[in-house]
Amino acid sequence: MSETVSLQADVLVIGGGMAGAWAALGAARAGAQVVLVDKGYCGTSGVTATAGPGHWWVPPEQREAAVSQRARLGLGLAEPGWMHRILDTTWRHLPTIGTHYRFGVDAQGRQVYRALRGPEYMRALRALVEAAGVQLFDHHPALELLRHADGAVAGAAGLRRPDGQPWTIRAGAVVLATGGCAFRSKLLGADNNTGDGLLMAAEVGAELSGMEFSNAYTVAPIRSSMTRAMSYVFARYFDQAGRELDIPPGPNNTREIATALLKGPVFCSLDRMPDDLRPLLTRISPNVMLPFTRHGIDPFRDRFEIQLRGEGTVRGIGGLRVASADCETSVRNLFVAGDTASREPVAGALSGGGNVNSAWALSSGLWAGAAAARRSQQAGQRAEGAAERAGQAGLRPRLQALGLDSAASVQRLQRPMLDLDLNMFRDAAALQRSLAGLDDDWQSWCDHAQGQGIGVLRQRETAAMLATARWCTAAALARDESRGMHQRTDRPEMHAGAAHRLTLGGLDRVWTRPHPVPGNAVAATSFPA
């Protein structure tokens, strides 16, 4: 099989969602020649394109109060300096897409920047990326990174989805914006989010952080992927006998919902939603009513059965450790943006939800892209010197290649990563059993997995999900307390001495170590568990 694409660039951006598009813009505006590759189609792939994303949009005079409130929610792990940075960057740059996006207006005729329409937002970002001269390669998933002998990243290699032909792109710097990992939970827009960037980065030695905070869930109608949760702020919940359950209004009620679901089916009614908001739903998220319409349900009158869809690291927090203000990882020339990065600096131990995460995707994308451009320009070279391919599991089996069952492996890893009794309600014994099973599957995948043609992509995605599941489980086991999203039934208290981050890494052997929060002057004991 001959290589049909072999290119050089100043900056290679891997991933074409919100963060990847902003990263490409940041690099191009800094004067770099930029190539962007996406597993899907830049402008439609990723969770933003299916959503009505909000942004953490705060006027300057209100920021101190907003940052103070968010810092308290971060339970000792967030950094106010980072929060102020993303608020300022979002405030200045989000309106610049107005040349290609029509912002809504409020009742007073003022433009509304806080909430956007996902499909139009991503269409605008693609148009801006193309106008900036970025070379786009859709349906070109990256499979592995390239690195120089000194460990610095030198580009990436992958394949074309239409025909399975390989490609290589050498670059002075790489930005990973491949999204998080939802473990194929059927989270809307996240089927491609399989942790690919996390695995590629770990193979070149990058560190991760915050992986214990990766158990977010969202309410959805049963057997539906419609995980747009805004409406459930007004929800009432009932058991199968029709008795109303004592579940507080959303959005921070998933543990109560999970407790009820473990006892039996749970039903929901949106009859408390104000009449003036109901017709606005289809304007904010045009697809949100589709599951109800398809099944003849009036959610404002009828009760419908619900489930919780796992969101993994997508709406969780964990990802690659951000080692500098420019969003460089712990590996030289490798930068990170959006959900591929740990969002601990701005979210701490509790999910930032849509608004903080969106502001982070925009800001980290711009910072990483611009810094990658500077790095490439400072080096004065794009692709000098030899570089090796770093990919391992799913690409190059250590022993005899065997036909492994990818679907079965995914089903096994979904149990500890998605099932409520193991992932929402954690304890050491169950975490140890889960990690042992994941380790066994990982060993088999490293020893025997090898795909052919486009089949390599599925093998590689499974390897990435397995690796991510092991990091999440190992981190949950290492954090011997309850804090924010991470709740241990056997360790229900939050400990003042544990107000640090957990850095981790490793492939065959996962390691963890505490990492102090820079400039953390707030006593962790002042926060509720």
Side-chain angles (χ1 to χ4, degrees):
M1 185 180 293
S2 61
E3 292 182 352
T4 56
V5 175
S6 184
L7 298 174
Q8 296 183 7
D10 295 326
V11 175
L12 170 63
V13 177
I14 303 177
M18 188 205 302
W22 280 110
L25 286 173
R29 290 171 180 173
Q33 181 191 5
V34 185
V35 172
L36 183 152
V37 295
D38 190 20
K39 187 194 289 191
Y41 181 87
C42 175
T44 63
S45 64
V47 294
T48 300
T50 61
H55 284 68
W56 202 21
W57 180 262
V58 182
E61 66 275 10
Q62 299 175 18
R63 289 180 192 167
E64 200 62 51
V67 167
S68 178
Q69 180 186 29
R70 185 65 228 183
R72 288 186 61 81
L73 293 174
L75 298 174
L77 303 188
E79 298 175 56
W82 279 91
M83 298 183 204
H84 279 291
R85 286 183 70 203
I86 72 165
L87 285 171
D88 179 65
T89 300
T90 302
W91 184 266
R92 290 186 291 110
H93 288 275
L94 184 57
T96 65
I97 71 170
T99 56
H100 292 74
Y101 179 90
R102 182 174 58 84
F103 288 100
V105 295
D106 62 17
Q108 287 73 44
R110 297 171 299 195
Q111 284 193 318
V112 177
Y113 296 105
R114 185 188 305 274
L116 290 86
R117 302 173 300 278
E120 296 167 50
Y121 184 15
M122 287 308 305
R123 186 163 61 243
L125 284 178
R126 182 183 176 98
L128 286 165
V129 165
E130 290 176 326
V134 174
Q135 194 170 5
L136 287 172
F137 287 91
D138 299 307
H139 308 296
H140 278 63
L143 296 176
E144 58 185 326
L145 294 173
L146 310 177
R147 63 181 168 191
H148 294 299
D150 65 359
V153 167
L159 55 80
R160 303 189 313 190
R161 295 190 73 155
D163 57 15
Q165 292 296 313
W167 56 259
T168 59
I169 299 174
R170 297 289 297 269
V174 173
V175 179
L176 280 174
T178 53
C181 183
F183 304 106
R184 293 243 163 83
S185 66
K186 301 304 178 184
L187 176 69
L188 188 63
D191 207 47
N192 272 351
N193 290 174
T194 50
D196 308 349
L198 304 183
L199 176 57
M200 286 189 284
E203 288 172 332
V204 297
E207 298 173 347
L208 300 100
S209 185
M211 298 301 287
E212 67 272 35
F213 305 117
S214 299
N215 56 344
Y217 289 82
T218 297
V219 181
I222 193 75
R223 292 180 291 277
S224 167
S225 62
M226 188 51 63
T227 48
R228 302 275 71 87
M230 179 190 69
S231 305
Y232 295 91
V233 172
F234 306 101
R236 291 194 297 150
Y237 299 93
F238 303 84
D239 65 14
Q240 196 166 17
R243 294 182 291 262
E244 185 167 0
L245 299 170
D246 185 20
I247 296 176
N252 299 316
N253 58 4
T254 52
R255 287 184 67 81
E256 290 85 354
I257 296 174
T259 299
L261 282 168
L262 289 172
K263 297 176 182 177
V266 174
F267 297 81
C268 177
S269 172
L270 302 180
D271 58 0
R272 292 196 301 198
M273 180 179 289
D275 291 339
D276 59 337
L277 289 183
R278 297 179 185 184
L280 296 179
L281 277 181
T282 53
R283 290 172 54 189
I284 299 169
S285 293
N287 51 6
V288 74
M289 293 296 291
L290 291 178
F292 302 118
T293 303
R294 185 177 297 119
H295 296 287
I297 296 171
D298 179 350
F300 310 118
R301 182 196 64 201
D302 305 328
R303 295 176 187 173
F304 55 95
E305 191 174 355
I306 60 159
Q307 62 191 339
L308 287 175
R309 289 279 186 200
E311 301 195 66
T313 72
V314 174
R315 195 180 286 260
I317 292 166
L320 296 175
R321 184 172 76 84
V322 176
S324 75
D326 290 332
C327 293
E328 190 168 15
T329 69
S330 51
V331 173
R332 184 167 175 79
N333 298 346
L334 183 62
F335 297 81
V336 66
D339 293 349
T340 318
S342 171
R343 280 130 289 162
E344 287 170 300
V346 294
L350 190 68
S351 173
N355 62 348
V356 174
N357 285 7
S358 294
W360 167 255
L362 181 159
S363 301
S364 62
L366 284 172
W367 300 332
R374 290 193 298 270
R375 174 63 53 77
S376 181
Q377 291 158 359
Q378 291 166 359
Q381 60 185 20
R382 297 177 185 170
E384 301 298 325
E388 67 173 358
R389 295 170 180 256
Q392 301 172 35
L395 294 176
R396 299 176 181 91
R398 293 182 296 207
L399 303 176
Q400 180 184 6
L402 300 174
L404 299 182
D405 189 338
S406 178
S409 290
V410 172
Q411 189 173 36
R412 284 193 295 271
L413 70 86
Q414 285 177 327
R415 168 86 171 110
M417 288 298 99
L418 300 178
D419 285 10
L420 299 173
D421 60 329
L422 292 181
N423 197 36
M424 180 79 75
F425 304 98
R426 296 166 165 174
D427 66 75
L431 288 168
Q432 289 167 346
R433 289 193 299 270
S434 295
L435 189 56
L438 292 166
D439 283 345
D440 288 344
D441 255 3
W442 172 256
Q443 185 74 32
S444 295
W445 220 254
C446 290
D447 288 345
H448 304 298
Q450 183 181 42
Q452 298 295 325
I454 195 63
V456 172
L457 176 59
R458 181 52 61 92
Q459 302 277 6
R460 191 66 166 153
E461 289 175 331
T462 302
M465 286 187 281
L466 273 170
T468 305
R470 293 170 72 237
W471 292 318
C472 290
T473 306
L477 187 58
R479 184 169 287 282
D480 198 28
E481 62 158 357
S482 290
R483 185 180 297 265
M485 297 169 62
H486 168 70
Q487 295 291 306
R488 289 270 298 265
T489 58
D490 58 340
R491 296 289 188 272
E493 302 298 325
M494 184 172 68
H495 303 304
H500 54 68
R501 295 176 186 151
L502 279 178
T503 297
L504 69 159
L507 294 167
D508 285 340
R509 185 171 183 176
V510 177
W511 55 264
T512 64
R513 65 168 179 260
H515 191 94
V517 179
N520 186 3
V522 184
T525 50
S526 67
F527 300 126

